[in-house]
Amino acid sequence: MRKPVIAGLVLALTGFLFTGCMKMNESIVIKDDGSFTASTEINIRKERMLEAYTKILNEEGGEGFTTEQVAVLLGQSGIKLVKIDGSEYYKITPSSAGQPENKTFSNITDYYKQIAGRLYQAENDTFSISETSVVLRVPENSNLLEKAISEELKSFVSVAEGYMSASKYRNGLRGDSVVPWKGETDGGDKVVPWEDEDAVWEDTEDESIVDVGEDEEEKLKDFLNRNKELKDSLKEATITYKVTFPAKIKETSAEATVSKDKMSVEFTVPVLTDRVYYEYAYCENDIAATGALNGVTYNKAVNVAIPVNVTAFLNGRAVSGSVTCDKTGTYNFSMSDIAGTTETLCFMVDTQAPMIYKQKDTNMLEFTNLYEGEQAFVNDGYLAVYDVEGGVRSIRLDGNDEKDYAIVNSADVTDSHSLVRSYDIYSIYTGDLDEGIHVINVVDYMDNETEAEFIIDKTAPSVSGVKNGKTYKKAVTIKFSDKNGVQAAKLNGSVIKSGTKTSKKGNYTLKVTDNAGNTKTVNFKIS
């Protein structure tokens, strides 16, 4: 099937992030029943590995380690030396870190669920597999790993340090390991600007580090230098994909390497490249549906053409011919032909902009419409921001380009067909904002954008004609108003309008609530 998608780049970066001269191997074995296993190994040049780890151990474990001692330690940890093209490399596998050597997936859809919602793929920069095909498509000046490592690093930071406060620093890490982030920390510890989402790779000038102690500044500089070293080392790095099918391969691209039994195919490409790569292999029983790419998220409608004599189901519903996919969500096709071949096509369409709601409590996933009450918004609460399919890429508040808000919740997706298992919810505390008009702008990874204007209103409605605690001996005329509009006004529980006249003797409670939720209560008496 001619449908590329990027396979999850199993990074295995723990402890090896700052080494170079890398050769990465991704191996996938597909079985007759559609299940398959995937494994990854990373090979790093011996001298580079020893140099890096000797430095790390001497910095973090005390001085005195030699490269010879580090070589012994690496061997004891299960990291083996191998020869590649006449040079020695250390081979790092999941078992080196105490993890299973292979990941097993029951079907292609489950495989794509591992990466959906994290690495959003464009159709021209992909690694794709189905049960009967594989396609590698790399555009000029592509970087296969840079963004992946950046995202993985942010994830590692979050896991290692835990979530920050609900309203501060999404990308920050405190303590002994320092990562540049946007925004001020409590007490103004550090301010380091990010130019864009890939800024983890950008060096930071000395003057851009504000209010950092000498020790922390050195750690920060060292971190940035190591990232620069990593990016430089990626210029020599390559990735080799090997896919083994249960059926014979009948068609391949010129640079593909096919095994003697024609059951396996390999592609090797540089991590950073200045040329276009288009590599492919199709099995003899491939079902060539067209129009969409496996695992890709589209920000436009697509039409899938089902071949003749192929039985197809879309999310459990029988379909045939040309199928239009234009609504936001997951499209999961299951196809089979008269020969008994089965194949999966699963992708997402995301034309829906991110959602912005009011949220009273970050511990409760209960939201109300931001625009209820003519845009007014009470100051004591949160703005909840999320995007199910496209994922939130950037959040700007009042023109601030910084995405420094904590993910404080995640919500599970109940649709069994969906490629997204859960999505993150960002909560932005509004209590610190000044009264007046504010603008929030949110963009997802598919470039869908939501911009909303809201009002912070901390002032209760004004009431005239009656005063709290006062007794009147004649009729009163009750008037009330609010600059952002009155949501409701009740006198002893009954709805009234401004200008209502009351003369009946008795005790009264007037409760006026504006569109922001601020309330003015007046108790009075007519005798």
Side-chain angles (χ1 to χ4, degrees), residues 57-69:
L57 287 173
N58 283 326
E59 287 176 351
E60 299 182 2
E63 298 181 359
F65 284 94
T66 65
T67 54
E68 290 77 13
Q69 290 173 322

Side-chain angles (χ1 to χ4, degrees), residues 470-505:
K470 195 164 185 179
T471 299
Y472 300 90
K473 294 183 178 181
K474 59 180 180 180
V476 296
T477 300
I478 301 171
K479 294 182 180 181
F480 46 83
S481 63
D482 188 272
K483 61 182 178 182
N484 292 315
V486 173
Q487 184 184 92
K490 293 183 179 181
L491 183 64
N492 286 355
S494 298
V495 176
I496 65 170
K497 295 181 178 180
S498 182
T500 295
K501 190 173 183 178
T502 301
S503 59
K504 187 177 179 180
K505 295 180 179 180

Side-chain angles (χ1 to χ4, degrees), residues 80 374 469:
K80 298 179 180 179
E374 299 179 9

